[in-house]
Amino acid sequence: MSAQSATLKSKEELIEKWSKPEVISGSDMLLRSLLLEGVDCVFGYPGGAVLYIYDAMYGFSDFNHLLTRHEQGAIHAADGYARSTGKVGVCIATSGPGATNLVTGIATAYMDSVPLVVITGNVISSLIGTDAFQEADIVGITMPVTKHSYMVRDVKELPRIIHEAFHIANTGRKGPVLIDIPKDVSAAKALFQPVTEVNLRGYHPTVNPNRNQVDKMVRAIEKAERPILLVGGGAIYSGAHEELYEFVTKTQIPITTTLLGLGAFPTGHELHMGFPGMHGTWTANTAIQNADLLINIGARFDDRVTGKLSGFAPKAKIVHIDIDPAEIGKNVPTDIPIVGDVKAVLQLANTLAKRADQADAWRAQIKQWKADKPFKYIDSDTELKPQWVVSLIHDTTNGDAIVTTDVGQHQMWAAQYYPFNKPRSLVTSGGLGTMGFGFPSAIGAQMGNPDRTVVSINGDGGMQMCAQELAICAINNIPVKVAILNNQVLGMVRQWQELIHENRFSHIDLAGSPDFVKLGEAYGVKSFRATNKEEARAAWDEALRHPGPALVEFVVRKDENVYPMVTQGSTIDQMLMGDSE
């Protein structure tokens, strides 16, 4: 990975190299434009409609492409790359089924505001609309889940479109942008000159906030007796973790970070209450329900955070800071709206904010709640508990790994028992809740962060949805460490069926799943199994010491539940605490 990245040239070098206008194909324009955007890895899968593009890659030493084993693996890898680096992720797929296999990944990125440029091939322009072989209206299909879309009709427009797509994807509220390129456009030739500026009329996201609104927030803090901060992924996407830390230090306001906001603020800090919502901490949920001022920083009041909307934060004045004005007031009525980039808002707020002096008793109360109501589980000396496994992973990586998760119980245990103290260290599907996301996203994270340990925590269900990507880890020696918490069941569905559907367990049995050790070995990945603590420590230690990819199957208790839990229709202070209470 490092050797490939080392061949990349700077934008200035590339502009100088290509400064002389020359006639080249649309495919060559595409590759050159991607390099000018600083793209150091593209994830993709070829097919008929993108053959000219893949032919242009042949012998192009500056261009780094990773061949996945499924288009969904490609887009999840691009997503993991983007979330973990802050750069735009890029993937390529062919027309028809290749393009439609990307839809789940596009929706995943859209829901979580992840910047992607998704490039698809299409049939030749004259056949569009004729139901030609492998034709699909991918622009129409993905319109609800893209920030913007392009259908390229003229090869001369391609360089401009590429650079506009990157600008749109990575500014304002970030998100995926689709570029659909008919096969004849990728083959056509025209004069190429590097594009150095992007100017989109009508697209000017509000970055700097209205000072009067920030003043209102500062005055509200001065009067508040029970203030809290609710911080979401927007604080990470804007790169505002240092400004956030300064804001909390100045104001001394207790803080809770959503699932996607974990890592924006050190989890171990005395003012951090954990994450809120359906499986969040007792302290965070109770504080929200009793706060008299709630400042939302870059979160969208998702239903898994708010619970029953009519009963959410009933005593609080609401401040909402967001880059997207459409989010403000959408779910929760807002008293002080502040539109702007989180980093810019906090930079201004830090010049004005003072300590919340009236909140001393509140801070003491929260400190006591944290001591009285931490996450708990009943450990076992005879079987592996998933919470213990996650703690093992945390302790052995010193909390410094990039952790990706799939979706389900293991995702919540990772959020609960792996404290995140750095931004972009947790990569997980929040809004869409996409099974199959965890493992390929780890590949993208590792490609973007070759010098960091990347751990993919998965369930036995989600792992089987993209297990074929083990091949590319083995072939390319991508050293992702895969932890499978195997409880032989669709765990979160089983938990809901137990607690809400009176133990009517319907179609959740995964006992017929493959032997994951044999599966990993079949792909050429060093693999281990652990059924108790001694085996777990030994297997995980060997996996971490192994220089390449490694897989450990942890056989955990089948009927373990995630607690606390807020059932749908309940307010977030109506928590089921489980057997540990």
Side-chain angles (χ1 to χ4, degrees), residues 79 82-87 108-115 170-175 232-241 258-261 264 298 300 323 341-343 423-424 426-431:
D79 187 314
R83 293 186 200 231
S84 64
T85 64
K87 302 176 184 178
T108 300
Y110 182 77
M111 286 285 279
D112 290 348
S113 305
V114 178
N170 208 29
T171 54
R173 181 174 182 171
K174 303 176 193 294
I236 293 175
Y237 300 154
S238 69
H241 56 283
T258 68
L259 180 67
L260 295 184
R300 59 184 181 84
I323 191 75
D341 179 76
V342 168
K343 189 181 183 79
R424 301 192 182 279
L426 174 62
V427 174
T428 192
S429 171

Short mmCIF file of all heavy atoms in Angstrom, two decimals, residues 79 82-87 108-115 170-175 232-241 258-261 264 298 300 323 341-343 423-424 426-431:
data_model
loop_
_atom_site.label_atom_id
_atom_site.label_comp_id
_atom_site.label_asym_id
_atom_site.label_seq_id
_atom_site.Cartn_x
_atom_site.Cartn_y
_atom_site.Cartn_z
N ASP A 79 -16.32 4.04 1.14
CA ASP A 79 -16.96 4.71 2.27
C ASP A 79 -16.04 4.67 3.49
O ASP A 79 -15.82 5.70 4.16
CB ASP A 79 -18.30 4.03 2.57
CG ASP A 79 -19.11 4.74 3.62
OD1 ASP A 79 -18.56 5.11 4.66
OD2 ASP A 79 -20.33 4.90 3.43
N ALA A 82 -13.25 7.06 3.08
CA ALA A 82 -13.66 8.45 3.27
C ALA A 82 -13.86 8.79 4.75
O ALA A 82 -13.40 9.83 5.23
CB ALA A 82 -14.93 8.72 2.48
N ARG A 83 -14.57 7.94 5.46
CA ARG A 83 -14.85 8.23 6.88
C ARG A 83 -13.57 8.29 7.70
O ARG A 83 -13.46 9.08 8.64
CB ARG A 83 -15.78 7.15 7.46
CG ARG A 83 -17.17 7.15 6.88
CD ARG A 83 -18.04 6.16 7.63
NE ARG A 83 -19.21 5.77 6.85
CZ ARG A 83 -20.47 5.80 7.30
NH1 ARG A 83 -20.71 6.21 8.53
NH2 ARG A 83 -21.47 5.42 6.53
N SER A 84 -12.61 7.43 7.39
CA SER A 84 -11.41 7.34 8.22
C SER A 84 -10.34 8.35 7.86
O SER A 84 -9.45 8.62 8.67
CB SER A 84 -10.83 5.92 8.14
OG SER A 84 -10.40 5.63 6.81
N THR A 85 -10.40 8.92 6.65
CA THR A 85 -9.38 9.87 6.21
C THR A 85 -9.87 11.30 6.10
O THR A 85 -9.07 12.24 6.16
CB THR A 85 -8.81 9.47 4.84
OG1 THR A 85 -9.86 9.55 3.86
CG2 THR A 85 -8.22 8.06 4.86
N GLY A 86 -11.17 11.48 5.88
CA GLY A 86 -11.70 12.81 5.60
C GLY A 86 -11.60 13.20 4.15
O GLY A 86 -12.03 14.28 3.76
N LYS A 87 -11.04 12.32 3.32
CA LYS A 87 -10.96 12.57 1.88
C LYS A 87 -12.21 12.01 1.19
O LYS A 87 -13.00 11.30 1.80
CB LYS A 87 -9.71 11.91 1.30
CG LYS A 87 -8.40 12.36 1.93
CD LYS A 87 -7.23 11.57 1.35
CE LYS A 87 -5.92 11.93 2.01
NZ LYS A 87 -4.79 11.11 1.48
N THR A 108 -26.17 4.25 2.06
CA THR A 108 -25.45 4.23 3.34
C THR A 108 -24.67 5.53 3.53
O THR A 108 -24.71 6.16 4.58
CB THR A 108 -24.49 3.03 3.39
OG1 THR A 108 -25.24 1.82 3.27
CG2 THR A 108 -23.71 3.00 4.70
N ALA A 109 -23.94 5.93 2.48
CA ALA A 109 -23.15 7.15 2.55
C ALA A 109 -24.04 8.39 2.64
O ALA A 109 -23.73 9.34 3.36
CB ALA A 109 -22.23 7.25 1.33
N TYR A 110 -25.14 8.38 1.91
CA TYR A 110 -26.05 9.53 1.92
C TYR A 110 -26.63 9.76 3.30
O TYR A 110 -26.67 10.90 3.79
CB TYR A 110 -27.16 9.30 0.90
CG TYR A 110 -28.13 10.45 0.76
CD1 TYR A 110 -27.77 11.60 0.05
CD2 TYR A 110 -29.40 10.38 1.33
CE1 TYR A 110 -28.66 12.66 -0.07
CE2 TYR A 110 -30.29 11.44 1.21
CZ TYR A 110 -29.92 12.57 0.50
OH TYR A 110 -30.81 13.61 0.38
N MET A 111 -27.07 8.70 3.95
CA MET A 111 -27.67 8.83 5.27
C MET A 111 -26.69 9.37 6.30
O MET A 111 -27.08 10.08 7.24
CB MET A 111 -28.21 7.47 5.74
CG MET A 111 -29.47 7.04 5.05
SD MET A 111 -30.93 7.92 5.63
CE MET A 111 -31.31 7.03 7.14
N ASP A 112 -25.40 9.04 6.13
CA ASP A 112 -24.40 9.45 7.11
C ASP A 112 -23.53 10.61 6.64
O ASP A 112 -22.50 10.90 7.26
CB ASP A 112 -23.51 8.25 7.48
CG ASP A 112 -24.26 7.20 8.28
OD1 ASP A 112 -25.38 7.48 8.76
OD2 ASP A 112 -23.72 6.09 8.44
N SER A 113 -23.89 11.25 5.54
CA SER A 113 -23.19 12.44 5.03
C SER A 113 -21.71 12.16 4.76
O SER A 113 -20.82 12.88 5.21
CB SER A 113 -23.34 13.62 6.00
OG SER A 113 -24.69 13.89 6.26
N VAL A 114 -21.45 11.10 4.00
CA VAL A 114 -20.08 10.69 3.67
C VAL A 114 -19.77 11.11 2.23
O VAL A 114 -20.54 10.80 1.31
CB VAL A 114 -19.92 9.17 3.82
CG1 VAL A 114 -18.51 8.73 3.42
CG2 VAL A 114 -20.23 8.75 5.25
N PRO A 115 -18.63 11.79 2.00
CA PRO A 115 -18.32 12.27 0.65
C PRO A 115 -17.78 11.15 -0.25
O PRO A 115 -16.71 10.60 0.00
CB PRO A 115 -17.24 13.33 0.90
CG PRO A 115 -16.56 12.89 2.15
CD PRO A 115 -17.63 12.24 2.99
N ASN A 170 -17.69 17.16 -1.11
CA ASN A 170 -16.88 17.41 0.09
C ASN A 170 -17.06 18.81 0.66
O ASN A 170 -16.25 19.26 1.46
CB ASN A 170 -15.40 17.18 -0.24
CG ASN A 170 -14.61 16.75 0.99
OD1 ASN A 170 -15.14 16.12 1.89
ND2 ASN A 170 -13.33 17.09 1.01
N THR A 171 -18.14 19.51 0.28
CA THR A 171 -18.43 20.81 0.86
C THR A 171 -19.87 20.83 1.36
O THR A 171 -20.68 19.98 0.99
CB THR A 171 -18.25 21.94 -0.17
OG1 THR A 171 -19.03 21.64 -1.34
CG2 THR A 171 -16.79 22.11 -0.56
N GLY A 172 -20.19 21.82 2.21
CA GLY A 172 -21.52 21.88 2.79
C GLY A 172 -21.80 20.60 3.56
O GLY A 172 -20.92 20.05 4.23
N ARG A 173 -23.04 20.13 3.49
CA ARG A 173 -23.32 18.81 4.05
C ARG A 173 -22.80 17.79 3.05
O ARG A 173 -23.30 17.67 1.94
CB ARG A 173 -24.83 18.61 4.27
CG ARG A 173 -25.14 17.25 4.87
CD ARG A 173 -26.60 17.12 5.23
NE ARG A 173 -26.87 15.82 5.83
CZ ARG A 173 -28.01 15.48 6.40
NH1 ARG A 173 -29.01 16.35 6.43
NH2 ARG A 173 -28.18 14.30 6.93
N LYS A 174 -21.81 17.04 3.44
CA LYS A 174 -21.13 16.14 2.52
C LYS A 174 -22.04 15.00 2.10
O LYS A 174 -23.03 14.69 2.77
CB LYS A 174 -19.85 15.61 3.18
CG LYS A 174 -18.90 16.72 3.63
CD LYS A 174 -17.70 16.18 4.37
CE LYS A 174 -16.92 17.27 5.09
NZ LYS A 174 -16.29 18.22 4.19
N GLY A 175 -21.70 14.37 0.99
CA GLY A 175 -22.53 13.28 0.52
C GLY A 175 -22.04 12.70 -0.79
O GLY A 175 -21.09 13.20 -1.40
N GLY A 232 -22.81 15.35 17.22
CA GLY A 232 -22.94 14.30 16.22
C GLY A 232 -21.77 14.23 15.26
O GLY A 232 -20.72 14.87 15.45
N GLY A 233 -21.95 13.47 14.19
CA GLY A 233 -20.90 13.25 13.21
C GLY A 233 -20.44 14.51 12.52
O GLY A 233 -19.30 14.57 12.03
N GLY A 234 -21.29 15.54 12.50
CA GLY A 234 -20.89 16.79 11.86
C GLY A 234 -19.65 17.41 12.48
O GLY A 234 -18.87 18.09 11.80
N ALA A 235 -19.45 17.19 13.78
CA ALA A 235 -18.26 17.74 14.44
C ALA A 235 -16.99 17.06 13.93
O ALA A 235 -15.93 17.69 13.84
CB ALA A 235 -18.38 17.55 15.95
N ILE A 236 -17.11 15.78 13.57
CA ILE A 236 -15.97 15.05 13.02
C ILE A 236 -15.75 15.43 11.56
O ILE A 236 -14.63 15.69 11.12
CB ILE A 236 -16.18 13.54 13.18
CG1 ILE A 236 -16.15 13.16 14.66
CG2 ILE A 236 -15.12 12.75 12.41
CD1 ILE A 236 -16.47 11.71 14.94
N TYR A 237 -16.84 15.46 10.79
CA TYR A 237 -16.72 15.74 9.36
C TYR A 237 -16.14 17.13 9.10
O TYR A 237 -15.48 17.35 8.08
CB TYR A 237 -18.07 15.62 8.67
CG TYR A 237 -18.71 14.26 8.77
CD1 TYR A 237 -20.09 14.10 8.70
CD2 TYR A 237 -17.94 13.11 8.94
CE1 TYR A 237 -20.68 12.85 8.79
CE2 TYR A 237 -18.52 11.86 9.04
CZ TYR A 237 -19.90 11.73 8.96
OH TYR A 237 -20.48 10.49 9.06
N SER A 238 -16.39 18.08 10.01
CA SER A 238 -15.88 19.43 9.81
C SER A 238 -14.47 19.59 10.38
O SER A 238 -13.88 20.67 10.25
CB SER A 238 -16.80 20.45 10.48
OG SER A 238 -16.75 20.33 11.88
N GLY A 239 -13.94 18.55 11.02
CA GLY A 239 -12.62 18.63 11.61
C GLY A 239 -12.57 19.54 12.82
O GLY A 239 -11.58 20.24 13.08
N ALA A 240 -13.65 19.53 13.61
CA ALA A 240 -13.80 20.50 14.69
C ALA A 240 -13.48 19.94 16.07
O ALA A 240 -13.86 20.53 17.07
CB ALA A 240 -15.24 21.04 14.69
N HIS A 241 -12.77 18.82 16.15
CA HIS A 241 -12.56 18.20 17.46
C HIS A 241 -11.74 19.09 18.40
O HIS A 241 -11.99 19.11 19.62
CB HIS A 241 -11.91 16.82 17.31
CG HIS A 241 -10.63 16.82 16.57
ND1 HIS A 241 -10.57 16.93 15.19
CD2 HIS A 241 -9.34 16.74 16.99
CE1 HIS A 241 -9.31 16.89 14.81
NE2 HIS A 241 -8.54 16.80 15.88
N THR A 258 -23.19 11.24 19.83
CA THR A 258 -23.98 10.18 19.19
C THR A 258 -23.06 9.08 18.69
O THR A 258 -21.83 9.19 18.73
CB THR A 258 -24.77 10.76 18.00
OG1 THR A 258 -23.85 11.14 16.96
CG2 THR A 258 -25.60 11.95 18.41
N LEU A 259 -23.66 8.03 18.16
CA LEU A 259 -22.87 6.91 17.62
C LEU A 259 -21.86 7.41 16.59
O LEU A 259 -20.68 7.06 16.64
CB LEU A 259 -23.81 5.87 16.99
CG LEU A 259 -23.13 4.64 16.38
CD1 LEU A 259 -22.48 3.78 17.44
CD2 LEU A 259 -24.15 3.83 15.57
N LEU A 260 -22.31 8.24 15.65
CA LEU A 260 -21.40 8.75 14.63
C LEU A 260 -20.51 9.87 15.17
O LEU A 260 -19.52 10.24 14.52
CB LEU A 260 -22.17 9.25 13.41
CG LEU A 260 -22.94 8.19 12.63
CD1 LEU A 260 -23.59 8.80 11.38
CD2 LEU A 260 -22.04 7.03 12.22
N GLY A 261 -20.82 10.39 16.33
CA GLY A 261 -19.99 11.43 16.93
C GLY A 261 -18.93 10.89 17.87
O GLY A 261 -18.10 11.66 18.36
N ALA A 264 -15.26 12.36 18.59
CA ALA A 264 -15.16 13.81 18.44
C ALA A 264 -14.64 14.46 19.71
O ALA A 264 -14.05 15.55 19.67
CB ALA A 264 -16.52 14.40 18.07
N GLY A 298 -24.08 19.46 15.20
CA GLY A 298 -23.81 18.56 14.08
C GLY A 298 -24.46 17.20 14.18
O GLY A 298 -23.93 16.22 13.66
N ARG A 300 -28.47 15.09 13.87
CA ARG A 300 -29.72 15.36 13.16
C ARG A 300 -30.97 14.89 13.91
O ARG A 300 -32.02 14.72 13.31
CB ARG A 300 -29.67 14.73 11.76
CG ARG A 300 -29.45 13.24 11.74
CD ARG A 300 -29.30 12.71 10.32
NE ARG A 300 -29.12 11.28 10.30
CZ ARG A 300 -30.11 10.40 10.35
NH1 ARG A 300 -31.37 10.80 10.42
NH2 ARG A 300 -29.87 9.10 10.33
N ILE A 323 -24.77 22.49 9.36
CA ILE A 323 -24.43 23.01 8.04
C ILE A 323 -25.62 22.96 7.10
O ILE A 323 -25.70 23.71 6.13
CB ILE A 323 -23.23 22.23 7.45
CG1 ILE A 323 -22.67 22.92 6.20
CG2 ILE A 323 -23.62 20.80 7.12
CD1 ILE A 323 -21.86 24.13 6.47
N ASP A 341 -20.90 25.84 9.31
CA ASP A 341 -19.98 24.74 9.54
C ASP A 341 -19.63 24.68 11.03
O ASP A 341 -19.35 25.71 11.65
CB ASP A 341 -18.72 24.96 8.70
CG ASP A 341 -17.70 23.85 8.90
OD1 ASP A 341 -17.90 22.76 8.35
OD2 ASP A 341 -16.72 24.09 9.64
N VAL A 342 -19.64 23.48 11.59
CA VAL A 342 -19.41 23.34 13.03
C VAL A 342 -18.09 23.96 13.45
O VAL A 342 -18.01 24.64 14.49
CB VAL A 342 -19.47 21.84 13.43
CG1 VAL A 342 -18.96 21.64 14.85
CG2 VAL A 342 -20.90 21.32 13.32
N LYS A 343 -17.06 23.74 12.67
CA LYS A 343 -15.75 24.30 13.01
C LYS A 343 -15.80 25.82 13.08
O LYS A 343 -15.30 26.43 14.03
CB LYS A 343 -14.71 23.84 11.98
CG LYS A 343 -13.26 24.16 12.34
CD LYS A 343 -12.34 23.69 11.23
CE LYS A 343 -10.88 23.92 11.57
NZ LYS A 343 -10.35 22.88 12.49
N PRO A 423 -10.93 11.37 16.73
CA PRO A 423 -11.91 11.39 15.63
C PRO A 423 -11.52 10.43 14.52
O PRO A 423 -10.35 10.07 14.37
CB PRO A 423 -11.85 12.84 15.14
CG PRO A 423 -10.48 13.32 15.54
CD PRO A 423 -10.16 12.62 16.82
N ARG A 424 -12.52 9.99 13.78
CA ARG A 424 -12.36 9.09 12.63
C ARG A 424 -11.78 7.73 13.04
O ARG A 424 -11.09 7.08 12.25
CB ARG A 424 -11.51 9.74 11.54
CG ARG A 424 -12.10 11.05 11.03
CD ARG A 424 -11.44 11.55 9.76
NE ARG A 424 -12.01 12.83 9.34
CZ ARG A 424 -13.16 12.97 8.67
NH1 ARG A 424 -13.84 11.90 8.32
NH2 ARG A 424 -13.61 14.16 8.33
N LEU A 426 -13.92 5.42 14.68
CA LEU A 426 -15.05 4.49 14.57
C LEU A 426 -15.69 4.67 13.20
O LEU A 426 -16.10 5.77 12.83
CB LEU A 426 -16.10 4.74 15.66
CG LEU A 426 -17.39 3.91 15.53
CD1 LEU A 426 -17.11 2.42 15.65
CD2 LEU A 426 -18.42 4.34 16.57
N VAL A 427 -15.76 3.58 12.45
CA VAL A 427 -16.39 3.58 11.12
C VAL A 427 -17.57 2.62 11.19
O VAL A 427 -17.38 1.41 11.33
CB VAL A 427 -15.39 3.14 10.04
CG1 VAL A 427 -16.08 3.01 8.69
CG2 VAL A 427 -14.22 4.13 9.96
N THR A 428 -18.77 3.16 11.12
CA THR A 428 -19.96 2.32 11.29
C THR A 428 -21.13 2.93 10.53
O THR A 428 -21.18 4.15 10.33
CB THR A 428 -20.30 2.15 12.78
OG1 THR A 428 -21.26 1.11 12.96
CG2 THR A 428 -20.83 3.44 13.39
N SER A 429 -22.04 2.09 10.08
CA SER A 429 -23.22 2.56 9.37
C SER A 429 -24.27 2.97 10.38
O SER A 429 -24.82 2.12 11.09
CB SER A 429 -23.75 1.45 8.44
OG SER A 429 -25.00 1.81 7.90
N GLY A 430 -24.56 4.27 10.45
CA GLY A 430 -25.50 4.77 11.44
C GLY A 430 -26.92 4.84 10.94
O GLY A 430 -27.80 4.11 11.36
N GLY A 431 -27.17 5.74 9.99
CA GLY A 431 -28.54 6.01 9.57
C GLY A 431 -29.20 4.86 8.85
O GLY A 431 -30.37 4.53 9.13
#
